[in-house]
Amino acid sequence: EAGVAQSPRYKIIEKRQSVAFWCNPISGHATLYWYQQILGQGPKLLIQFQNNGVVDDSQLPKDRFSAERLKGVDSTLKIQPAKLEDSAVYLCASSLGLAGGANVLTFGAGSRLTVL
Amino acid sequence: DAKTTQPNSMESNEEEPVHLPCNHSTISGTDYIHWYRQLPSQGPEYVIHGLTSNVNNRMASLAIAEDRKSSTLILHRATLRDAAVYYCILRDGFGNEKLTFGTGTRLTIIP
């Protein structure tokens, strides 16, 4: 089974520039997540999609971050304009969306963003 | 999601068993206990989960206290590849599917 694909793996930009990250989840996985992981911390959920609808975006800084999941498959996460504090690894994960607490998430390798 | 408490770091010798503790004194009756680990420069990966009974799989064992206020992840024979950050996470069986991560336990394996 192919895993969760993310690109690019690394990106360096200057502050106030824009950047976009792409995620292709495991085939058939209805739920897709974007997490932000700052160095030394655990991942923090930014947004969760169920098919192409947003389930939870309560921690997404909506003034600069946006995400979409067209056709309920691939997803993009955009930051515009970037700030120094956005330097982090952006992780995409997907799951079958099973009911109950047994649902397992599969994560991609992440996209490391450095903002100078 | 209910909160968990884990030691910041642990060390273990290679080829010996490792017991990683997790306290979750405010766990509710519908909370599942999940463990994920994150190897260097990789995304987190699922290890094991349980509700009330002890669980075993090819990666590890999960021992859950009778009152469910604590649990222990057991790696039966640690290898250098097991060096990672281990996260203990509670997930509500009737709530959102999302995972809420803490800071985890950084496990170092000594050759």
Side-chain angles (χ1 to χ4, degrees):
Chain A
E1 176 182 76
V4 175
Q6 290 189 245
S7 67
R9 285 281 279 132
Y10 304 93
K11 188 73 175 180
I12 301 174
I13 61 173
E14 294 191 351
K15 60 183 179 183
R16 291 187 288 275
Q17 287 186 324
S18 63
V19 63
F21 301 111
W22 172 82
C23 173
N24 180 236
I26 291 174
S27 178
H29 279 195
T31 310
L32 185 146
Y33 314 77
W34 282 102
Y35 282 81
Q36 179 193 57
Q37 186 171 25
I38 293 172
L39 187 64
Q41 299 180 17
K44 181 184 82 171
L45 180 69
L46 292 176
I47 189 167
Q48 177 184 347
F49 292 95
Q50 179 76 18
N51 295 309
N52 60 351
V54 175
V55 174
D56 184 347
D57 63 357
S58 57
Q59 298 198 80
L60 186 74
K62 298 180 185 63
D63 58 335
R64 297 183 301 104
F65 286 64
S66 65
E68 61 181 7
R69 189 182 185 198
L70 299 176
K71 301 180 182 179
V73 182
D74 293 5
S75 177
T76 56
L77 175 71
K78 297 179 181 178
I79 307 174
Q80 182 178 15
K83 292 185 175 182
L84 296 177
E85 59 261 37
D86 298 331
S87 294
V89 176
Y90 291 86
L91 295 160
C92 179
S94 68
S95 69
L96 283 170
L98 299 173
N103 198 46
V104 171
L105 274 63
T106 302
F107 284 81
S111 295
R112 180 178 297 277
L113 173 66
T114 302
V115 182
L116 303 176
Chain B
D1 293 315
K3 185 175 173 59
T4 63
T5 304
Q6 300 178 252
N8 288 331
S9 62
M10 290 183 62
E11 289 185 348
S12 181
N13 294 320
E14 192 178 12
E15 299 185 4
E16 290 187 357
V18 182
H19 291 235
L20 295 162
C22 181
N23 287 317
H24 28 79
S25 58
T26 59
I27 191 170
S28 73
T30 57
D31 284 335
Y32 284 72
I33 302 160
H34 282 247
W35 283 82
Y36 281 70
R37 72 179 185 180
Q38 188 169 21
L39 301 169
S41 300
Q42 295 188 27
E45 66 173 343
Y46 168 79
V47 177
I48 200 166
H49 76 276
L51 183 60
T52 55
S53 303
N54 295 343
V55 184
N56 299 296
N57 66 20
R58 64 174 180 81
M59 290 181 70
S61 296
L62 176 60
I64 301 173
E66 196 169 335
D67 63 5
R68 302 209 324 127
K69 294 184 185 299
S70 66
S71 60
T72 302
L73 179 70
I74 303 166
L75 308 178
H76 295 285
R77 189 169 169 273
T79 69
L80 296 178
R81 283 206 66 248
D82 292 320
V85 178
Y86 287 77
Y87 297 98
C88 170
I89 303 166
L90 299 184
R91 294 190 60 208
D92 185 354
F94 293 102
N96 195 311
E97 302 157 29
K98 69 182 180 182
L99 294 176
T100 301
F101 288 82
T103 52
T105 297
R106 181 172 299 278
L107 177 64
T108 301
I109 304 298
I110 302 167

